[in-house]
Amino acid sequence: MGSTGIGASVPRKEDKRHLHGQSTFVGDLVFPRMLDVAFVRSPVAHAILKAPDIEDADRSRVFAGSDLDAVRPILAEATIPGYLKTPYPVMARDKVNFVGQILAACVGKNRSDAEDVAERVMFDFDELDPLTSAEAALRAGAPAVHPDLPDNIFHRLQQGDDFEPIRQSAPVKVTRTFKLARQAMVPIEGRGVVALWDERVSQLIVYSSTQSPHLIRTGLSEFLDLDQNRIRVIAPDVGGGFGYKAILHPEELILGFLAMKLRRPVRWLEDRREHLTAAANSREHIYTMTAYADEQGHLLGLDADIVVDAGAYSIWPHTCAFDAIQAAGILPGPYQIKNYRVTGRTVATNKPPIQAYRAVARPGACFATELIVDAVARAVNREPHEVRRENLIPVELMPYRSVTGKLYDSGDYPKCLETALGAIDLAALRKEQQERLADGRSLLGVGFATYTEHTGISTSVLAWMNTRLMPGHEQAAVRITPDGGADIRTGVQSHGQGMETSFAQVASEVLGIHTDQIQVTHGDTALTPYSTGTYASRGMVMVGGAIADACDRLIVRLRAAAAHLMQKAPDDLVFRDGAFHADAASMTIAEIARIYYFKPAELPVGIDSAGLEVVGGYRPQQDSGAFAYSSHVCVLEIDRDFATVKLRDYVAVDDCGIQVNPMIVDGQIWGGIVQGIGTALFEEVRYDEMGQPQASTLADYLVPGCGDVPTIRLLNFQTASPFTRFGVKGVGEGGAIAPPAAIVNAVNDALRSFGAEVAEVPVTPARILEALDAVGLEAGFVARGAA
């Protein structure tokens, strides 16, 4: 039997049930007397709302805002300096602020019956002018989305250095504005909620497709005014999250209210149209960046202005301010920047809220920084990788320059970049690039991106950010079973990361028990220790540390029992491979467990009563998080006639510390890169001038298909973090961070000879043609340019 501990590519325990259709998602749950819920949603973006017109026959089946007085508005509170809180009603009552905002909930014997009722509910509106962009919301005299935000700004920040000396002395100054499109999350499983009132235990039971069961329980308690011990939240199998399922949504509160009022189980399953038109989105950022450098491209300063389009409401619990705060800290990335200044504004518009995840602000910050570095390289006429290499933070205990101060971890940024560069033949590609320019073939571009990612985000950093309900520690319960196996219980929730496997590997590493004998239970607030959930690449760092701590405590108890049974001093025993050894004698965990459970009289009083179940906890001693990093290189072609982009080669070099399961790590990175390709080339939630969403199906909202993904080559090295258990760093979001920057830099590299630049994602053919038009070129530019 081979090792199943840390470093082994153990097959995922979850895959059998998923691949054989034996999983249990929210949509698979059926309860007696269950009703389905359909929502009436606003068809307009900004309006005064009149009372609903409900047919008498439907009145008992329709619940509008006035029927939910017992449900408090969602209020995301925080002590973040400059943050202004605004209530988010679970149903609009007097005013609607985005298309898709909930106006009423309708119940039926099935979904189609509920939808029939919803179609008969009518509302009148006095429409108001909508604000469909942050730029429009910031203009003088713009209407206010909320009376408490007269200038439509939820949050402002301003931090950094004095730039006047650099302005006067820096020989190179480069200014650019970069934009990231609003995106939908598009998990394979939409959100879903089943709620019921259990009279036997006097509890509200909520099954939710969530990443954060304990956090949802806290939110239900707060806004339904119900003690937490009267609420149980269970997350069954969850088909993808992307942070979209890490926050409290109005639907969860409405379903909880209906379950208590009707005393019947109620179910809502989000359809794809609802998701694309009415659900919380991710980052819509505008970065105005000025880089100051010398003639060689050495960065002397970075001056940044960030505008975040937060939509109509602030999300709970993290607030909409989190995006700009994160972006401000991340922007300097892996570079030695002597002076850094940042301002940020989080702006209200008449669109759905942003939920501050899908890798939080990291892809946006990487995008802006890496594009300005490339712009500096063009300004000083140097290769982009040369400018990067000379500005990267040196090896070993790299200081991470941010507005939070200097945070430290181990690694080698220059080696990471050189490894990526060595995976391609840049000289040959430059030769081919010139040949293609001359003979009229499609254009060739090479793009680079390097980033650092703050993973396992910590208590001290979160405290500095003044965020709420996000402790940087974790707990886990581990129990030795009577046959010598192990049960693990953790409050986080897996939604595709392979946690049932990798958490079992951590226990296997410490206890020497094969992963087949280890069961992982997660996602049930009645069974697991409190946790804020799965987000921000924190699972393995925090929960892995907690599981290891619990296993360490169990070994102490097992050692005491083994010493008594083997008639040895505890310090004379050596523990390895799941057994205690002394001279030629040994005793396995399974043998000790059988005595513990079935023959406790063989143990002295005190040892037997301690039991074989413990709760361990983990908070790193160096409480600043773990810093993973990566360099990506993209090679692509741009069609001369249609300006379409084809990815030809993609290389990613990652260092996420010690890998618990290399196979799972590769899968996480591959999936993240594909997500990043979507950000770069396809995904965009668009609105017209009236605030109407322009993509309601996957025919309109494009995501990458098989033909859009090139062969992705993954390389890695493992620099153990000195601050975490086993030296691990987070990796869950890493793959998605660099692709938008690497791909757009490759596009701009291909357009460099024409003097054109793209500064917005997704890089659609239309945007490439717009960039060419800006420098006086039209369709068919390659042929005429070559001629």
Side-chain angles (χ1 to χ4, degrees):
M1 180 175 67
S3 169
T4 59
I6 290 175
S9 291
V10 176
R12 298 198 337 162
K13 297 163 73 73
E14 303 92 328
D15 287 349
K16 181 178 179 180
R17 72 175 186 275
H18 291 330
L19 295 173
H20 288 255
Q22 297 168 341
S23 305
T24 302
F25 296 92
V26 170
D28 296 313
L29 300 173
V30 178
F31 293 94
R33 303 176 63 245
M34 185 166 71
L35 299 171
D36 275 290
V37 176
F39 291 110
V40 180
R41 296 181 181 272
S42 174
V44 298
H46 199 198
I48 302 300
L49 180 65
K50 304 295 186 65
D53 181 5
I54 304 170
E55 295 183 10
D56 291 342
D58 293 333
R59 192 63 192 85
S60 63
R61 303 168 65 189
V62 178
F63 300 86
S66 58
D67 300 311
L68 272 73
D69 286 339
V71 183
R72 297 176 183 174
I74 299 170
L75 191 63
E77 299 188 79
T79 56
I80 300 169
Y83 166 69
L84 299 176
K85 60 186 179 183
T86 55
Y88 181 4
V90 294
M91 284 187 187
R93 294 187 62 172
D94 302 319
K95 185 170 178 278
V96 296
N97 282 320
F98 65 91
V99 171
Q101 188 169 1
I102 297 173
L103 306 181
C106 305
V107 297
K109 60 186 178 183
N110 52 44
R111 177 62 179 254
S112 61
D113 183 36
E115 288 179 349
D116 287 344
V117 176
E119 287 185 359
R120 296 194 290 268
V121 178
M122 306 301 293
F123 284 87
D124 285 333
F125 308 89
D126 288 339
E127 289 197 55
L128 305 171
D129 291 334
L131 297 171
T132 60
S133 70
E135 296 99 324
L138 290 172
R139 291 186 191 123
V145 176
H146 300 288
D148 296 336
L149 301 178
D151 55 3
N152 292 313
I153 296 178
F154 285 111
H155 175 242
R156 304 173 190 265
L157 68 85
Q158 185 166 0
Q159 296 167 329
D161 304 314
D162 178 15
F163 263 70
E164 197 55 39
I166 297 176
R167 280 201 196 94
Q168 301 297 326
S169 61
V172 176
K173 174 185 174 183
V174 178
T175 299
R176 295 287 190 277
T177 296
F178 305 119
K179 296 183 178 182
L180 286 95
R182 176 176 284 248
Q183 288 182 248
M185 303 300 107
V186 205
I188 195 168
E189 177 209 23
R191 282 190 298 122
V193 182
V194 172
L196 58 97
W197 180 261
D198 190 330
E199 293 287 0
R200 183 180 65 84
V201 293
S202 189
Q203 267 192 332
L204 174 65
I205 313 295
V206 177
Y207 294 85
S208 178
S209 180
T210 179
Q211 299 167 228
S212 306
H214 288 272
L215 206 60
I216 298 305
R217 183 194 193 198
T218 298
L220 290 168
S221 170
E222 185 166 334
F223 301 114
L224 292 178
D225 197 19
L226 198 63
D227 291 344
Q228 290 207 30
N229 61 15
R230 299 186 68 193
I231 302 171
R232 179 182 180 186
V233 176
I234 304 167
D237 287 314
V238 175
F242 306 109
Y244 175 54
K245 300 176 182 178
I247 62 175
L248 182 72
H249 297 267
E251 291 88 352
E252 284 149 328
L253 290 166
I254 294 170
L255 269 285
F257 167 82
L258 292 176
M260 291 189 292
K261 182 174 181 62
L262 301 175
R263 287 302 197 263
R264 293 179 67 173
V266 289
R267 175 178 64 183
W268 169 72
L269 301 176
E270 178 185 65
D271 64 31
R272 193 58 65 181
R273 181 181 177 86
E274 282 181 298
H275 177 74
L276 291 174
T277 60
N281 302 141
S282 73
R283 58 175 178 272
E284 184 173 2
H285 297 181
I286 303 171
Y287 295 85
T288 300
M289 309 276 283
T290 299
Y292 298 88
D294 65 17
E295 293 89 343
Q296 298 302 308
H298 297 120
L299 295 172
L300 305 176
L302 184 64
D303 197 0
D305 178 77
I306 305 168
V307 173
V308 175
D309 185 334
Y313 296 102
S314 190
I315 54 95
W316 187 94
H318 317 310
T319 81
C320 59
F322 201 55
D323 247 33
I325 293 171
Q326 282 276 294
I330 293 166
L331 271 173
Y335 298 110
Q336 303 177 83
I337 299 175
K338 297 177 181 178
N339 292 273
Y340 174 51
R341 183 174 67 177
V342 60
T343 61
R345 288 164 291 172
T346 302
V347 182
T349 59
N350 293 116
K351 290 183 282 191
I354 60 166
Q355 47 74 26
Y357 274 98
R358 208 177 194 200
V360 201
R362 293 161 185 164
C366 175
F367 176 75
T369 300
E370 291 302 284
L371 262 65
I372 201 71
V373 169
D374 258 38
V376 168
R378 288 192 292 274
V380 298
N381 198 30
R382 299 192 70 190
E383 281 279 8
H385 72 274
E386 294 174 342
V387 170
R388 280 184 175 78
R389 180 171 53 209
E390 294 178 14
N391 283 288
L392 287 175
I393 294 168
V395 301
E396 295 308 324
L397 289 179
M398 306 167 301
Y400 176 77
R401 177 76 158 87
S402 76
V403 292
T404 63
K406 290 185 177 180
L407 308 177
Y408 295 89
D409 210 337
S410 59
D412 192 334
Y413 290 169
K415 177 184 175 182
C416 188
L417 176 61
E418 294 300 329
T419 303
L421 186 63
I424 63 170
D425 187 341
L426 185 60
L429 289 170
R430 290 299 185 212
K431 182 173 182 290
E432 181 186 352
Q433 189 178 49
Q434 294 304 312
E435 291 170 350
R436 285 176 174 271
L437 276 170
D439 62 23
R441 287 182 290 159
S442 58
L443 297 178
L444 180 72
V446 183
F448 297 84
T450 296
Y451 70 85
T452 185
E453 180 190 7
H454 193 180
T455 74
I457 195 163
S458 56
T459 298
S460 60
V461 173
L462 292 168
W464 174 86
M465 291 179 181
N466 296 290
T467 55
R468 183 170 180 245
L469 298 175
M470 288 183 66
H473 67 272
E474 196 65 47
Q475 292 180 307
V478 180
R479 174 175 55 215
I480 301 297
T481 60
D483 60 355
D487 291 334
I488 297 171
R489 291 180 288 114
T490 171
V492 299
Q493 172 63 33
S494 180
H495 47 279
Q497 306 96 318
M499 286 181 175
E500 292 172 33
T501 305
S502 52
F503 288 167
Q505 288 183 254
V506 172
S508 177
E509 178 74 18
V510 181
L511 296 174
I513 300 172
H514 196 282
T515 54
D516 288 346
Q517 297 175 271
I518 300 173
Q519 179 71 25
V520 176
T521 298
H522 51 81
D524 186 335
T525 60
L527 303 177
T528 62
Y530 187 88
S531 171
T532 52
T534 310
Y535 52 85
S537 298
R538 70 185 295 271
M540 185 48 61
V541 174
M542 294 296 180
V543 182
I547 291 170
D549 180 66
C551 292
D552 288 342
R553 295 169 187 262
L554 280 171
I555 288 175
V556 172
R557 296 187 185 182
L558 290 163
R559 182 183 295 274
H564 173 79
L565 294 168
M566 297 172 71
Q567 299 183 25
K568 297 286 185 180
D571 291 344
D572 292 339
L573 301 181
V574 176
F575 181 75
R576 67 174 183 273
D577 301 327
F580 292 93
H581 301 264
D583 301 326
S586 65
M587 196 168 197
T588 66
I589 287 178
E591 291 170 330
I592 301 168
R594 279 193 291 271
I595 293 171
Y596 243 105
Y597 286 101
F598 305 130
K599 297 181 180 181
E602 296 185 15
L603 297 172
V605 175
I607 290 181
D608 65 325
S609 60
L612 291 181
E613 180 171 2
V614 299
V615 176
Y618 185 70
R619 175 179 173 180
Q621 290 297 312
Q622 176 69 27
D623 191 26
S624 58
F627 289 83
Y629 56 97
S630 182
S631 284
H632 291 208
V633 183
C634 174
V635 180
L636 56 76
E637 297 176 15
I638 302 178
D639 183 271
R640 73 177 81 171
D641 296 314
F642 302 106
T644 51
V645 173
K646 179 182 178 181
L647 304 183
R648 195 170 91 176
D649 189 18
Y650 201 98
V651 177
V653 182
D654 285 90
D655 183 353
C656 63
I658 301 304
Q659 298 184 6
V660 174
N661 186 314
M663 178 187 69
I664 288 178
V665 169
D666 284 353
Q668 290 280 282
I669 296 171
W670 271 318
I673 290 172
V674 174
Q675 177 182 310
I677 291 170
T679 299
L681 298 177
F682 302 107
E683 297 187 47
E684 182 173 16
V685 176
R686 294 174 291 110
Y687 292 85
D688 67 12
E689 67 279 0
M690 295 306 295
Q692 292 293 328
Q694 300 299 287
S696 59
T697 72
L698 291 178
D700 305 307
Y701 185 89
L702 302 181
V703 295
C706 293
D708 303 310
V709 179
T711 298
I712 298 172
R713 296 188 283 146
L714 302 184
L715 305 171
N716 71 80
F717 49 95
Q718 301 182 41
T719 308
S721 172
F723 308 128
T724 66
R725 188 67 185 263
F726 309 114
V728 300
K729 305 174 185 178
V731 73
E733 298 164 308
I737 295 173
I743 291 169
V744 175
N745 279 336
V747 167
N748 287 337
D749 184 63
L751 301 178
R752 184 175 183 177
S753 296
F754 302 95
E757 288 183 21
V758 176
E760 186 172 359
V761 290
V763 185
T764 60
R767 287 193 171 117
I768 292 175
L769 293 174
E770 287 171 4
L772 290 160
D773 182 65
V775 294
L777 293 169
E778 301 175 358
F781 63 94
V782 176
R784 282 199 288 274

